[in-house]
Amino acid sequence: MFEFSSANQKRIPEILAKYPNTQSALLPLLTLAQRQEGYVAPQAMVEIGRILKLSPGYVQSVASFYTMYHMHPTGKYIILFCINISCQLNGADELLEHTAKKLNIKVGETTEDKKFTLHREECLAACSNAPMMRINDTYHEDLTKEKIDKILDSLD
Amino acid sequence: MANDEVTLTIDGQTVTAPKGTMVVDAAKKVGIEIPVFCYHEKLGPFGCCRMCLVEVEKMPKMATACTLAVAPDMVVKTNTPKVEKAQKGVLEFTLLNHPLDCPVCDKGGECPLQENTFQFGSDDTRMEFNRAGQDKATPLSPVITIDRERCIACQRCTRYSDIIEQEQALVMLNRGFNNEVGTFDNQDYDTKYSGNVIDICPVGALTNTKFRFKARSWDLKNVDTLCAHCACNCNMTLGSRLNKLMRIQANTNDHVDDGWICDKARFGYEFIESKNRILSARSQFDGEPRDLATKDALALTAQTLKKIADEHGAGSIGFIGSPYATNEEAYLYQLMFRQGLKTNNIDHKVYEDLPGLPINHYDFEAVESSNLVLLIGSDPSEELPILDLRIRKAITRKGVKLALLNDQSTALDRFAETALRYDVGFDGAAIGALASGLAGELGIDIAKDGSKSGISDKEMKALVELTRTSMKICVVYNPSTLSAGSLAKLRQLLQLIGKIPTVECGAIPAAPATNALGAMDMGLLPGYYPGGLALTESDEIKKRFGNDSPLQAGLSAMEMIEKAESGELKALLVHRSNPVVDFPGGERIESALKKLEFLVVHDMLETETTQLANVVLPSVGPGYDEGTTTNIGARVQYRKRGLMSEGLADWQIISQMAAELGVERNYQSSFSVTAEIAESVRGYEDISKKTIKKEGQNRQAIAGVVGDLGNSGESGPKSKKGALRLRVAHYLFANDKILDANTSLAHHFRSSTVHVHEKDAKKMALAEGDAVTVSSGHGKVSATVAVGDRCNPGSAVIERISDEQGVSGLQESGGISWVEITKE
Amino acid sequence: MAELKLLTKDIDKKDLHKLSVYETTGGYGSLKKLFEKKPEEVVEMVKASGLRGRGGAGFPAGLKWSFLAKDVFPRYLCCNADESEPGTCKDRLLLEKTPHLLIEGMIICAYACLIETGYIYFRGEFQHASDLMDEALEEARAKNYLGKNIMGSGFDFDIHTHLGAGAYICGEESALLNSLEGRRGEPRLKPPFPAVEGLYSKPTVINNVETLCAVPYIINEGPEKYASFGTEKSKGSKLVSVSGHVKKPGNYEIEMGTTVRELIYDLAGGIRDDNKLKAYIPGGSSTPMLPADLVDTPFDYESLAAAGSMLGSGALIVIDDQVNIVESTLRLASFYKHESCGKCTPCREGTRWMWQLLDGIHQGEGTDQQVDKLVDICDNISFKSFCPLGDAAVGPVASSIKHFREDYEALLKKNAEGAA
Ligand SMILES: Cc1cc2nc3c(=O)[nH]c(=O)nc-3n(C[C@H](O)[C@H](O)[C@H](O)COP(=O)(O)O)c2cc1C
Ligand code: SF4
Ligand code: FES
């Protein structure tokens, strides 16, 4: 069973109020569910479908289109490492490798302590401050190995 | 030329097509084939496969002919080198990761991908990598197999689920190259109309699980025929090999099915090979079954009926016909009983209904062209799936509004402008309230039914307003859900709507049985001859059916049961009907039938009733039989034989018995009977082999009597301590003789559930999931409690989910059925 | 040479994202002038300014506003803040530093087009920008720059933020509308165009962040002033995200027509380690790359098109001579394969096939015929896909083969030698 927390329950009418139809609230509610649980479980899709009067199949169809929705539990910190062209030109591949090694996982994996999940990511619009990574909602730019180490070490 | 016609040029040919036509379809008109994959006429333009690229003068880019509407003076070219290169390129992309398993693919021989490749593709591949290798055959449901490797992502199937069935059950998952057709959390795709995706998939990705590897498409003998499961009468193609049924496919008839069939049509045919089939006649006296030659059985039946009629009077024998029989069978049976045995003890149903309508009889197309569809007591989603799809289409794509008046919630509620719920048993009051509301607006005075229906005055007023202000109304009502006395009110309502000067109006009497309308038209009624001729119209009856046609009122089906009980009815012939299970009254029915001196049952499958029969006659049934049926939209169509049977057809059996009783005709085929129907049955004048051959033909309107305007008595009592008023809901996919334990549709079977309102659940201390016994004066049914708002307080709904469940044992004939619920 | 700062003149001011600070820079000053004019006059001003869409296609903004289906209401305004084109990061700058400028621009557009509701569609990763925007919107509502009867003008307008969830295609305007309506971000059939049937099937204006941010200047200073900058057909200023192998990457607001050379060498400090310029991609990853000898091309719509590329979103990616171009091309091919929505066959299958071929060549398994085949595949996708993403995917592949075939050959030769 999935339920929105009472704080999130309160936010639902605010979200719905933005749009003339309920379906438009689909992405916001999926995001809300993911922020609550760390990922979007099938039960969450059923619940969102119930609220918005959409079939669970439809909800999954939409959710699975967008890469930011995780369908499985993730680490506490999700590291999205940009490897697209501007970052690549500035050595992103090597830094990504460095990060993976430091966390002792492969790209796409989650550390055993469920603290970090590491993903390769396409361009995140920080090209003139390449290379960069996004950890949860925060952009970290102009990366170097040292900077990465410092950032990762500072997270608890 | 009409204003909405557009003239353009395609490959140098001048083409004229209605505005809004897509270039692909316009090209087809002059024999130019533009290859397509994703385009399907019923799904509308989508433009994703890019197979149909053409060049259009003055357009910088090539355009997809499936999304391009015709425009005046447009110049289209479909065969330039540029187009050919594009077609080759698109096909190459399409085949890039498509497996080369045509030799073992069920679609082989009828595959658009194969055909387009042959015609427009190149003969070698430049793909040097391993194909993506998606999952091979996996079950999408018990009846559909999906081969994702073959899927070309045309989205026809998912658009079907979205646009046509409005379920969004089959969807596109993921993105880009990882796109795949699937369902929520890998659950079965099991809507009631899921099988249509098999027909529309342009490759072998979605296949019929039952048909897989059974036969090659080119080895099949295909016969265009009709489905015999419900009163929609959808068109379908029966494919057989060596006289064995291999598969059923949809066969578009826009007047009826719009190109779709439900899963019961497609997969629910195992009964054809059921071990319960009655293949030969038998007698059964003193509990001793004895095989009989059919000929002897017919003679025995005719002579015995005659003897009893002679001894005890024509009133001592009766006939219970079938709403599943063809028009020809029904016509012949009434002929045999009326002319051969001189009785009007003829009926085919246990609810009230009358032939003809006091207003227009609308067909399925009228549903689309109306402004308002008003459903009364009808639940098409459970009773008439393809009418359901037509209504969904009307609402979602044709801007039609939907209003519901019912005693239970239905799947269509979510599409409705307004869905009003009356208390079970108070349909008369609800219909009366709507009628008097309209009458008030029209300044007509009608008697009022004072009882409260459970619908507030405000809600009813809104419905009156919606009705009054709609330009064209299609009323769809299910007479079999109406209480005694309500039919008159309904007909009064229809007539009133017809009187609103600004409203055009018609109705579809939507009783669910296959030929429910035909049975009435053919006079399987105690008070009406074929063509809705009331017994009082004696001159007309004599003119059409002979001077010695019986004119005294006959017994209805339930009256026959009562007279059997009292011993006044001595003999009964039952055709394709199973009163023991289906008639209200439970055990009472069986004991009444046991009292008969002579019971003949003419059926295709063994039933509880055949067990009681003194003579059992074989009926070949759908697949093997042929004749016409009249769907609830009054369309008469021909159900062609798809398989050969050794036994006699029903029309032969009946006409031989009739001959034995002195009603001699010289029928050469079932069409000879059809011809006689055209001659003697009002409304069927235009029906002939020729006129109905392809798409069928609507029969003429049959004028119907209006209900007795004066008689608006109050509805029954509102409450009875500790009891609820029962509504039995029809469910087409029930586990009965047709869908027996061997059916591949068993996943549709439901468990016995009694739906009660929260308020009653609280009062009666019932909780969701409680195992209970529901009982009435006649019988008991085990069920699980579902608490919700399926019905109003004071009411209970049980779906008829199987023969074994025995719900009709709870029902009262006429009046309200009160039930008590006790925890097990 | 210097920048031309029309939008970004105060961008480095501390706390510019706050209303109070924004107002000290003259913020919202255009509204008074705005409400003195008739809506159609405003449309004419924007037309006269020559402002063209900064999101990629470069369509004249005023003209777009004038296309709205007559007499159909409600209408919607969608600000495209999806900014997903690799190389582009200028909208994020505006969104985070000067959200009120966008709000001001949106108010002007809405007033001109008789719109009462606006949405800003942020790419999902712009949570921070969206939060800042929500605060800015609250401030603007509190001061009645938004809401009912704005500043007593009788005009009502409000704006809502909406976040995507990771899909490049949602930058394409019709896919954006689908996404905003809670659907898969697949593009829609056109026609109907958004101006006729857009969001919720109503007439809709869709403009890029930078386009809308340029509008207050036009109202404040007049269209003539704006049009006095730039070239004959490319007016005003353009924010260019410079990235890649330059010493000082960053967003520079330049006058249209400034040369690429000036951008790279004067503003961005030249090539890293003083290497030689090899190639540049002028308008984001979708625009064809150009070789070093075209470095004197003026940065404007016409000149870049004449050079065989496009201005696109204005994202200059600079590549020096230390790189084999196949590697960069492969990376972009991989991006388009990842981002193809999968709706149409050429794009879905073609992007993956191109990536497979490039990967093969890069890994040492290619043949010369494969390069020709790539060219042909590009031709089979170009203008045959459902939306421009397919064409975009072709851009880097076709242009890299056209200008740097020797890089492919070098790899193939190396492979051949390695095999021998
Ligand atoms: C594949 C694709 C991606 C796009 N991405 C963006 C984007 O991220 N931001 C943007 O403003 N426009 C993007 N566009 C352009 C939009 O479709 C649209 O033209 C633009 O938002 C219109 O605004 P403008 O006229 O102000 O430029 C994209 C177009 C395509 C085909
Ligand atoms: S399964 Fe068939 S109908 Fe469905 S998307 Fe694939 S090819 Fe099209
Ligand atoms: S048939 Fe036209 S794009 Fe598919």
Side-chain angles (χ1 to χ4, degrees):
Chain A
M1 260 304 284
F2 167 88
E3 248 182 68
F4 279 111
S5 66
S6 55
N8 284 338
Q9 300 258 11
K10 282 200 199 90
R11 294 200 51 197
I12 294 173
E14 291 167 26
I15 292 171
L16 284 169
K18 288 184 177 184
Y19 313 100
N21 75 7
T22 50
Q23 185 177 286
S24 281
L26 181 49
L27 266 59
L29 290 202
L30 285 165
T31 305
L32 199 62
Q34 172 153 306
R35 284 185 173 269
Q36 181 177 312
E37 305 289 317
Y39 71 112
V40 187
Q43 292 86 341
M45 299 189 205
V46 173
E47 174 63 6
I48 291 170
R50 192 190 62 75
I51 296 169
L52 302 180
K53 298 197 172 63
L54 298 168
S55 81
Y58 181 83
V59 176
Q60 191 178 0
S61 167
V62 172
S64 63
F65 184 88
Y66 297 94
T67 50
M68 282 177 72
Y69 297 122
H70 306 289
M71 302 300 169
H72 301 285
T74 53
K76 182 176 174 196
Y77 296 103
I78 300 174
I79 307 173
L80 302 179
F81 213 107
C82 176
I83 47 79
N84 208 301
I85 185 142
S86 305
C87 288
Q88 180 205 25
L89 293 171
N90 286 291
D93 291 344
E94 203 190 326
L95 294 181
L96 174 60
E97 207 173 297
H98 170 83
T99 310
K101 223 184 242 156
K102 180 170 166 72
L103 296 176
N104 199 19
I105 50 173
K106 289 207 195 75
V107 176
E109 291 180 346
T110 300
T111 54
E112 226 159 77
D113 60 1
K114 305 271 178 286
K115 190 167 169 189
F116 294 105
T117 302
L118 180 63
H119 284 295
R120 195 177 271 123
E121 189 48 78
E122 297 297 354
C123 178
L124 290 167
C127 317
S128 26
N129 298 81
M132 69 80 65
M133 64 181 175
R134 181 176 186 265
I135 302 184
N136 295 350
D137 286 341
T138 312
Y139 276 52
H140 301 275
E141 301 174 322
D142 300 311
L143 294 178
T144 58
K145 284 185 191 168
E146 297 70 41
K147 211 164 160 187
I148 290 172
D149 290 349
K150 223 164 115 195
I151 293 164
L152 295 183
D153 293 343
S154 72
L155 294 170
D156 54 24
Chain B
M1 200 191 310
N3 276 343
D4 51 1
E5 293 278 311
V6 171
T7 302
L8 69 160
T9 311
I10 306 179
D11 291 344
Q13 299 194 55
T14 306
V15 189
T16 304
K19 213 169 132 187
T21 308
M22 295 300 148
V23 169
V24 235
D25 292 326
K28 230 180 262 164
K29 285 183 141 195
V30 286
I32 298 171
E33 197 215 333
I34 300 172
V36 302
F37 290 124
C38 71
Y39 182 63
H40 188 285
E41 204 190 0
K42 301 286 176 193
L43 300 173
F46 192 61
C48 78
C49 77
R50 318 306 285 174
M51 190 60 230
C52 64
L53 289 166
V54 293
E55 279 196 86
V56 182
E57 264 181 22
K58 295 195 192 116
M59 284 197 186
K61 287 201 282 184
M62 271 189 269
T64 40
C66 74
T67 63
L68 184 68
V70 293
D73 304 324
M74 186 181 250
V75 178
V76 179
K77 291 185 188 136
T78 78
N79 52 12
T80 63
K82 209 169 145 190
V83 170
E84 277 165 25
K85 166 122 202 302
Q87 287 170 340
K88 278 204 172 58
V90 168
L91 266 171
E92 181 176 43
F93 288 135
T94 310
L95 289 166
L96 218 47
N97 289 287
H98 188 87
L100 300 170
D101 60 355
C102 303
V104 294
C105 178
D106 271 336
K107 199 80 175 184
E110 51 185 11
C111 174
L113 179 57
Q114 219 175 27
E115 284 152 26
N116 283 346
T117 306
F118 185 73
Q119 214 178 330
F120 304 99
S122 95
D123 38 14
D124 62 336
T125 173
R126 299 189 293 170
M127 176 68 171
E128 54 282 89
F129 304 101
N130 290 334
R131 279 155 218 281
Q134 286 275 340
D135 292 346
K136 291 303 285 180
T138 41
L140 188 62
S141 80
V143 288
I144 304 175
T145 300
I146 185 163
D147 191 315
R148 295 207 163 85
E149 194 175 53
R150 293 183 190 149
C151 172
I152 59 168
C154 70
Q155 301 200 33
R156 275 189 180 188
C157 55
T158 54
R159 281 184 289 147
Y160 168 82
S161 189
D162 176 18
I163 301 168
I164 306 293
E165 64 174 17
Q166 292 285 326
E167 295 292 339
Q168 302 185 319
L170 194 63
V171 295
M172 269 341 250
L173 297 171
N174 310 328
R175 185 174 81 201
F177 191 80
N178 298 321
N179 258 358
E180 67 175 34
V181 169
T183 56
F184 174 68
D185 212 16
N186 273 322
Q187 291 171 354
D188 281 354
Y189 170 52
D190 59 1
T191 65
K192 289 198 200 68
Y193 351 78
S194 66
N196 289 312
V197 298
I198 297 167
D199 289 346
I200 61 175
C201 178
V203 297
L206 294 167
T207 50
N208 182 328
T209 306
K210 285 168 67 177
F211 180 64
R212 276 175 75 81
F213 307 126
K214 285 271 168 60
R216 304 304 316 214
S217 60
W218 54 85
D219 285 336
L220 294 181
K221 178 184 153 219
N222 286 317
V223 171
D224 293 342
T225 180
L226 305 179
C227 171
H229 287 315
C230 87
C232 292
N233 298 186
C234 299
N235 291 238
M236 61 188 211
T237 300
L238 186 159
S240 65
R241 186 157 177 263
L242 307 176
N243 208 32
K244 231 175 119 63
L245 203 167
M246 290 285 136
R247 70 167 178 198
I248 302 284
Q249 289 177 302
N251 174 33
T252 308
N253 182 349
D254 286 343
H255 304 291
V256 177
D257 46 59
D258 209 18
W260 315 116
I261 55 175
C262 79
D263 284 6
K264 189 160 170 178
R266 190 182 301 270
F267 305 111
Y269 56 75
E270 279 104 340
F271 71 89
I272 280 184
E273 291 177 358
S274 165
K275 58 181 190 322
N276 288 325
R277 279 195 85 88
I278 300 168
L279 298 170
S280 59
R282 67 167 187 271
S283 70
Q284 194 164 270
F285 291 98
D286 315 318
E288 199 48 25
R290 206 166 291 133
D291 279 349
L292 276 182
T294 307
K295 202 166 145 268
D296 298 339
L298 299 181
L300 173 65
T301 302
Q303 284 154 18
T304 313
L305 288 172
K306 180 92 179 97
K307 200 173 124 238
I308 294 174
D310 287 348
E311 269 172 30
H312 301 279
S316 67
I317 54 170
F319 172 64
I320 292 178
S322 172
Y324 293 94
T326 63
N327 289 331
E328 288 70 17
E329 292 156 14
Y331 176 82
L332 287 173
Y333 257 131
Q334 67 84 31
L335 201 66
M336 164 179 161
F337 275 82
R338 289 202 166 102
Q339 308 306 333
L341 293 161
K342 303 298 170 205
T343 181
N344 275 320
N345 290 348
I346 295 172
D347 204 355
H348 71 281
K349 57 179 178 47
V350 292
Y351 53 87
E352 276 184 8
D353 204 359
L354 295 167
L357 286 174
I359 51 169
N360 291 331
H361 196 133
Y362 274 173
D363 61 12
F364 285 13
E365 284 171 301
V367 168
E368 277 179 41
S369 62
S370 300
N371 304 104
L372 177 71
V373 171
L374 173 58
L375 280 177
I376 302 178
S378 174
D379 182 1
S381 313
E382 298 291 15
E383 299 163 355
L384 300 154
I386 299 303
L387 174 61
D388 175 34
L389 286 192
R390 191 67 82 121
I391 293 172
R392 288 172 191 226
K393 177 184 183 186
I395 310 308
T396 56
R397 280 177 291 152
K398 301 283 172 181
V400 179
K401 286 181 182 161
L402 177 67
L404 299 173
L405 203 52
N406 208 332
D407 52 6
Q408 58 158 348
S409 60
T410 70
L412 284 175
D413 288 17
R414 69 182 160 107
F415 299 97
E417 186 88 0
T418 166
L420 304 187
R421 191 96 38 91
Y422 51 79
D423 296 345
V424 168
F426 287 76
D427 38 330
I431 294 166
L434 178 55
S436 60
L438 286 169
E441 298 276 344
L442 288 165
I444 299 174
D445 210 21
I446 61 165
K448 277 194 184 127
D449 175 352
S451 50
K452 289 262 171 250
S453 64
I455 297 169
S456 74
D457 291 350
K458 196 172 147 225
E459 289 172 317
M460 190 51 85
K461 220 171 152 198
L463 181 60
V464 169
E465 196 52 23
L466 183 63
T467 309
R468 196 181 60 79
T469 54
S470 295
M471 312 274 281
K472 184 174 175 188
I473 302 180
C474 175
V475 180
V476 178
Y477 67 96
N478 180 351
S480 73
T481 66
L482 298 181
S483 313
S486 299
L487 189 76
K489 288 180 185 155
L490 184 98
R491 293 195 158 221
Q492 181 184 31
L493 170 68
L494 294 180
Q495 208 191 29
L496 275 169
I497 298 177
K499 280 193 180 143
I500 308 173
T502 50
V503 174
E504 206 186 312
C505 167
I508 296 178
T514 306
N515 198 26
L517 190 67
M520 283 205 293
D521 288 353
M522 293 305 127
L524 291 189
L525 294 166
Y528 293 87
Y529 270 69
L533 277 181
L535 296 177
T536 47
E537 298 175 74
S538 55
D539 291 347
E540 194 64 30
I541 291 176
K542 284 179 183 159
K543 203 173 99 199
R544 287 172 185 261
F545 299 99
N547 280 329
D548 52 353
S549 302
L551 294 171
Q552 60 280 45
L555 299 172
S556 73
M558 282 315 293
E559 285 166 347
M560 287 187 241
I561 298 290
E562 278 158 28
K563 298 287 181 194
E565 231 170 7
S566 67
E568 289 162 77
L569 193 86
K570 310 278 181 202
L572 185 64
L573 194 155
V574 176
H575 182 219
R576 294 196 41 203
S577 173
N578 185 12
V580 173
V581 164
D582 292 332
F583 279 25
E587 281 162 17
R588 199 184 137 199
I589 309 295
E590 185 169 346
S591 54
L593 294 178
K594 277 182 176 162
K595 284 198 178 153
L596 289 164
E597 224 168 83
F598 188 54
L599 174 65
V600 184
V601 180
H602 180 191
D603 212 333
M604 64 169 183
L605 293 165
E606 296 291 354
T607 67
E608 290 75 358
T609 309
T610 59
Q611 298 312 306
L612 307 177
N614 302 109
V615 173
V616 174
L617 302 174
S619 166
V620 290
Y624 299 100
D625 66 6
E626 59 185 344
T628 62
T629 54
T630 308
N631 88 345
I632 46 178
R635 195 160 196 89
V636 185
Q637 301 180 94
Y638 180 49
R639 187 157 93 206
K640 196 173 176 188
R641 178 169 54 191
L643 301 165
M644 296 300 153
S645 74
E646 282 171 13
L648 293 176
D650 286 22
W651 68 267
Q652 290 168 312
I653 285 186
I654 309 163
S655 58
Q656 283 186 23
M657 284 193 288
E660 197 75 46
L661 292 166
V663 188
E664 299 241 23
R665 299 287 204 277
N666 190 17
Y667 303 124
Q668 300 302 312
S669 70
S670 79
F671 275 121
S672 315
V673 187
T674 320
E676 184 174 323
I677 290 173
E679 238 166 69
S680 56
V681 181
R682 265 199 315 200
Y684 282 73
E685 293 83 357
D686 302 341
I687 304 304
S688 72
K689 185 173 178 177
K690 228 164 116 194
T691 56
I692 62 171
K693 192 110 207 209
K694 256 198 116 130
E695 301 186 300
Q697 159 109 15
N698 285 6
R699 65 121 159 94
Q700 302 287 314
I702 294 176
V705 279
V706 180
D708 180 352
L709 301 191
N711 173 22
S712 298
E714 304 231 336
S715 304
K718 201 75 200 190
S719 64
K720 194 160 138 185
K721 203 166 180 333
L724 300 174
R725 292 181 307 272
L726 178 72
R727 158 75 129 93
V728 174
H730 185 91
Y731 178 45
L732 183 62
F733 287 67
N735 179 7
D736 53 15
K737 302 294 176 293
I738 297 290
L739 296 185
D740 63 15
N742 295 321
T743 179
S744 47
L745 292 175
H747 56 292
H748 281 286
F749 291 166
R750 294 176 182 161
S751 57
S752 184
T753 307
V754 58
H755 298 265
V756 296
H757 194 271
E758 285 153 346
K759 281 192 184 158
D760 293 320
K762 210 170 202 177
K763 249 192 255 170
M764 304 168 88
L766 295 172
E768 180 86 19
D770 279 354
V772 293
T773 303
V774 183
S775 53
S776 75
H778 306 295
K780 284 185 188 6
V781 164
S782 302
T784 309
V785 171
V787 181
D789 66 347
R790 172 113 177 213
C791 54
N792 287 348
S795 315
V797 175
I798 301 185
E799 283 160 317
R800 186 192 179 290
I801 55 112
S802 72
D803 282 354
E804 264 178 10
Q805 177 199 27
V807 279
S808 49
L810 295 174
Q811 286 181 289
E812 202 69 52
S813 74
I816 284 170
S817 314
W818 292 98
V819 290
E820 285 175 15
I821 301 178
T822 43
K823 277 198 224 180
E824 266 175 10
Chain C
M1 85 135 271
E3 294 180 65
L4 173 68
K5 294 197 167 193
L6 306 184
L7 283 61
T8 58
K9 87 179 147 55
D10 302 305
I11 201 96
D12 294 322
K13 197 165 186 121
K14 189 163 175 289
D15 289 336
L16 182 65
H17 65 276
K18 297 210 168 115
L19 180 60
S20 51
V21 179
Y22 181 67
E23 279 175 330
T24 64
T25 67
Y28 289 110
S30 69
L31 298 191
K32 251 192 94 190
K33 287 190 189 149
L34 176 74
F35 296 135
E36 284 162 8
K37 299 185 197 333
K38 291 205 193 99
E40 50 281 15
E41 288 177 286
V42 181
V43 175
E44 286 311 314
M45 286 176 78
V46 175
K47 270 193 197 166
S49 75
L51 174 65
R52 291 168 66 173
R54 305 299 194 219
F59 194 84
L63 202 56
K64 188 187 274 190
W65 297 6
S66 70
F67 283 164
L68 290 180
K70 299 272 166 301
D71 303 325
V72 186
F73 298 95
R75 300 167 168 185
Y76 294 99
L77 167 60
C78 292
C79 171
N80 189 340
D82 191 61
E83 185 152 81
S84 307
E85 175 83 358
T88 320
C89 53
K90 48 147 188 129
D91 294 340
R92 186 165 74 99
L93 176 82
L94 295 169
L95 292 165
E96 290 184 355
K97 296 278 170 132
T98 178
H100 285 288
L101 179 64
L102 177 60
I103 297 172
E104 190 175 347
M106 287 180 75
I107 295 169
I108 296 166
C109 172
Y111 178 77
C113 299
L114 312 180
I115 292 169
E116 289 188 7
T117 310
Y119 293 95
I120 306 174
Y121 183 95
F122 292 89
R123 61 178 296 172
E125 293 87 349
F126 283 1
Q127 182 70 49
H128 177 60
S130 161
D131 291 344
L132 284 175
M133 184 60 74
D134 279 332
E135 287 168 25
L137 289 170
E138 267 317 312
E139 289 180 313
R141 279 184 203 116
K143 277 220 117 172
N144 193 220
Y145 290 133
L146 287 175
K148 297 271 171 219
N149 189 17
I150 295 172
M151 298 166 69
S153 64
F155 169 62
D156 305 338
F157 178 60
D158 206 351
I159 300 174
H160 306 287
T161 55
H162 182 96
L163 280 157
Y168 165 70
I169 184 64
C170 290
E172 192 283 330
E173 55 187 17
S174 66
L176 180 152
L177 296 177
N178 272 343
S179 184
L180 187 44
E181 287 182 19
R183 302 171 195 275
R184 291 161 65 83
E186 289 172 3
R188 297 179 181 177
L189 266 178
K190 292 182 209 169
F193 289 92
V196 178
E197 274 180 46
L199 191 62
Y200 310 117
S201 300
K202 297 294 179 198
T204 302
V205 175
I206 303 161
N207 272 130
N208 171 257
V209 172
E210 186 188 349
T211 315
L212 291 164
C213 284
V215 175
Y217 181 91
I218 295 166
I219 304 300
N220 278 326
E221 309 291 332
E224 303 76 19
K225 181 82 191 282
Y226 188 83
S228 71
F229 302 112
T231 67
E232 194 199 330
K233 285 189 176 159
S234 301
K235 303 290 187 197
S237 68
K238 176 78 189 90
L239 256 174
V240 184
S241 306
V242 186
S243 69
H245 293 153
V246 288
K247 288 187 182 149
K248 289 196 293 175
N251 284 300
Y252 298 98
E253 188 176 0
I254 56 158
E255 181 173 3
M256 284 280 191
T258 307
T259 65
V260 174
R261 182 187 294 280
E262 286 170 303
L263 256 166
I264 294 177
Y265 291 96
D266 295 353
L267 295 172
I271 309 287
R272 66 160 181 189
D273 304 332
D274 292 326
N275 288 336
K276 265 172 63 189
L277 174 70
K278 173 167 187 161
Y280 67 90
I281 302 176
S285 64
S286 306
T287 62
M289 58 179 77
L290 296 172
D293 51 4
L294 292 175
V295 73
D296 289 311
T297 310
F299 204 92
D300 62 60
Y301 294 103
E302 288 68 34
S303 309
L304 285 166
S309 188
M310 286 187 298
L311 183 137
S313 56
L316 180 63
I317 304 163
V318 179
I319 301 171
D320 74 11
D321 63 353
Q322 304 301 299
V323 171
N324 181 309
I325 217 74
V326 177
E327 198 172 321
S328 309
T329 310
L330 173 62
R331 193 52 62 94
L332 292 177
S334 154
F335 168 74
Y336 288 106
K337 175 196 63 137
H338 186 254
E339 298 300 340
S340 168
C341 80
K343 178 169 179 166
C344 80
T345 311
C347 176
R348 180 187 66 244
E349 302 290 331
T351 50
R352 182 167 180 274
W353 197 12
M354 290 200 299
W355 167 77
Q356 281 178 315
L357 283 162
L358 282 162
D359 191 45
I361 293 169
H362 186 243
Q363 306 246 348
E365 287 148 20
T367 66
D368 200 29
Q369 290 94 309
Q370 288 181 348
V371 182
D372 290 333
K373 185 152 58 180
L374 271 170
V375 174
D376 192 54
I377 295 171
C378 285
D379 181 54
N380 283 345
I381 299 174
S382 276
F383 303 117
K384 292 171 192 79
S385 52
F386 187 91
C387 87
L389 191 144
D391 306 333
V394 163
V397 180
S399 63
S400 69
I401 296 175
K402 179 173 164 200
H403 296 295
F404 303 100
R405 194 167 178 126
E406 65 277 7
D407 278 23
Y408 286 81
E409 277 158 6
L411 266 179
L412 296 175
K413 203 160 133 217
K414 206 166 96 203
N415 298 337
E417 280 163 7

